[in-house]
Amino acid sequence: MSTPRFLDLPPGVAPQKIETPQGTFAALEALPVSGVVERWPALLVPGLTGSKEDFIAVLMTLAQSGRRVVAVDLRGQYETPGPDDPAAYTCAALGADVDVLSQVIGGGDPVHLVGHSFGGLVAREAVIDGRTKFASFTLMSSGPAAIEGRRARNGRKILEEVPALGLEHVWQTRFEPEALANDVSDEIREFLRRRLLNNSPTGLTSMAEQVLTMRDRTDELRQIELPTLVLFGEHDDGWPPEAQSEMAARLGAESVVVPGAVHSPAVEAPETTAAALVTFWNAAEKHYLDVRSSAM
């Protein structure tokens, strides 16, 4: 579970509702505190038990690069409602949501797409399906196929316990003890409880099944001509760092290892993570403009 270290919104960041043809999505929108929006926007997609708040620590810095930056709750997550139909929570279905969100946020401009953990698998579907022209794609702590190790065991517990025992039981027996062991403050712990209980139980279990069974689509992603970044913590306990490095090599993608970070670089090393994203986004835009100029 990605755990924000603070909840107060930085300057230039505000809650929003993003209206799309596929429904309304809860979001945090960041705009430059000084200067103007002059670069292409970015969309940030959270992981399985996460939410838009996982990106709070990087939003202001990212926006100060001259961009509108939007972090969302996926369908069925926290403040975005979702149906009781498991089919609504496949990676393909959620990827279609990412498509329409990107089209609305971009307003005609390409969007820089970032997917964290399970959100990377979802965002990958949107890139591969070809419905949307993206400016770049970043896989943040997200691997080529099903998640591994301790986080895979946690996913299987969600799959087993949520339908049988409910979200409150999962909070009391799994997530709350973890938060207490990590000395999480009362304010953040209450937020984590509220966030978990607001999830769609159907959505959470369906997403858990997806992250545990996802097939490797690296070769398909490689066929998409799109600047791609693989960014992960040096101690990632979801997908092994070696697996993510190998995936980057297969993609011919840039790779950034965030020192000291585990599975949530945007929380654990926000300045390093934001700097890497801005550098990558600026280079992707320059490459796009250079290619377009040479073709004229």
Side-chain angles (χ1 to χ4, degrees):
M1 173 173 53
S2 188
T3 303
R5 291 179 175 169
F6 60 90
L7 296 171
D8 292 335
L9 298 183
V13 180
Q16 298 290 347
K17 298 292 186 182
I18 307 294
E19 304 287 345
T20 80
Q22 289 179 206
T24 303
F25 292 81
L28 291 176
E29 178 189 56
L31 296 170
V33 176
S34 59
V36 297
V37 173
E38 57 186 356
R39 292 184 175 273
W40 291 338
L43 172 62
L44 313 181
V45 182
L48 173 64
T49 56
S51 66
K52 58 193 178 300
E53 285 75 15
D54 296 341
F55 300 106
I56 283 178
V58 298
L59 286 174
M60 184 175 73
T61 304
L62 295 177
Q64 278 304 112
S65 65
R67 293 180 173 84
R68 179 190 183 200
V69 181
V70 178
V72 296
D73 293 338
L74 288 169
R75 181 183 302 279
Q77 281 185 329
Y78 189 30
E79 294 180 321
T80 297
D84 289 330
D85 179 6
Y89 304 103
T90 65
C91 283
L94 295 170
D97 289 344
V98 170
D99 277 315
V100 297
L101 279 162
S102 299
Q103 291 159 15
V104 169
I105 291 166
D109 287 333
V111 170
H112 296 286
L113 181 60
V114 178
H116 173 235
S117 192
F118 173 71
L121 302 181
V122 170
R124 184 177 69 178
E125 295 289 320
V127 173
I128 292 173
D129 72 29
R131 300 174 190 171
T132 306
K133 175 64 176 176
F134 293 101
S136 72
F137 178 38
T138 298
L139 287 151
M140 179 186 292
S141 300
S142 187
I147 200 165
E148 303 177 36
R150 180 181 72 86
R151 292 184 184 272
R153 292 192 292 273
N154 288 343
R156 285 190 287 272
K157 288 295 185 181
I158 288 173
L159 201 55
E160 295 165 3
E161 294 178 1
V162 169
L165 301 170
L167 291 171
E168 182 66 53
H169 170 85
V170 172
W171 167 254
Q172 292 177 359
T173 60
R174 305 195 64 78
F175 291 102
E176 185 176 31
E178 178 183 329
L180 289 169
N182 291 330
D183 199 26
V184 173
S185 71
D186 291 346
E187 178 193 18
I188 299 297
R189 197 164 67 249
E190 175 53 35
F191 161 75
L192 295 176
R193 178 180 182 274
R194 184 171 65 251
R195 177 172 73 176
L196 179 68
L197 298 186
N198 277 4
N199 272 267
S200 159
T202 301
L204 192 60
T205 54
S206 299
M207 292 180 196
E209 182 178 18
Q210 290 283 290
V211 80
L212 290 167
T213 60
M214 179 53 58
R215 63 186 178 88
D216 190 333
R217 302 197 70 186
T218 305
D219 290 342
E220 295 166 82
L221 180 60
R222 183 180 174 85
Q223 301 305 311
I224 308 298
E225 295 184 359
L226 182 67
T228 301
L229 172 66
V230 175
L231 182 149
F232 54 92
E234 66 171 330
H235 305 300
D236 199 327
D237 59 357
W239 286 268
E242 309 80 51
Q244 295 182 68
S245 292
E246 180 184 357
M247 179 181 67
R250 290 172 60 194
L251 290 169
E254 294 186 45
S255 179
V256 172
V257 181
V258 181
V262 187
H263 191 60
S264 299
V267 173
E268 297 150 352
E271 291 306 315
T272 301
T273 299
L277 288 172
V278 170
T279 298
F280 172 62
W281 291 346
N282 288 349
E285 291 179 22
K286 182 178 185 303
H287 173 74
Y288 178 89
L289 294 173
D290 288 346
V291 169
R292 190 174 68 174
S293 176
S294 64
M296 294 176 64

